[in-house]
Amino acid sequence: MLDKIALILAIIGGLNWGSIGLFRFDVVAWLCGGSGSVFSRLLYTLVGLGALWCISLLFRDQDAAEGETSRA
């Protein structure tokens, strides 16, 4: 479950960076009342932590991960 949450947060961050790169528009800041607001800073922090967690997905044993999903 934590993997899915981290992946969702990383996707949100990627889409936000894409909108900044293409349109110079920060969706998170727009939704949360500016890039300096407490809520947007919290969301940026969660996205960063989610991305850090997703790094661990790169180094996991694929066979072990498939065995866990087949039991569920």
Side-chain angles (χ1 to χ4, degrees), residues 3-72:
D3 291 345
K4 288 184 181 182
I5 293 170
L7 185 58
I8 289 168
L9 288 170
I11 290 169
I12 289 169
L15 292 173
N16 191 53
W17 274 107
S19 71
I20 291 170
L22 292 173
F23 309 115
R24 294 185 184 195
F25 183 70
D26 188 344
V27 177
V28 172
W30 178 70
L31 288 174
C32 300
S35 62
S37 73
V38 173
F39 188 67
S40 64
R41 291 184 63 191
L42 176 66
L43 189 53
Y44 291 138
T45 302
L46 290 174
V47 166
L49 291 173
L52 286 174
W53 183 264
C54 286
I55 291 171
S56 73
L57 297 175
L58 295 172
F59 300 105
R60 290 193 192 161
D61 184 20
Q62 186 66 23
D63 294 331
E66 289 174 1
E68 290 175 9
T69 58
S70 65
R71 283 187 249 146

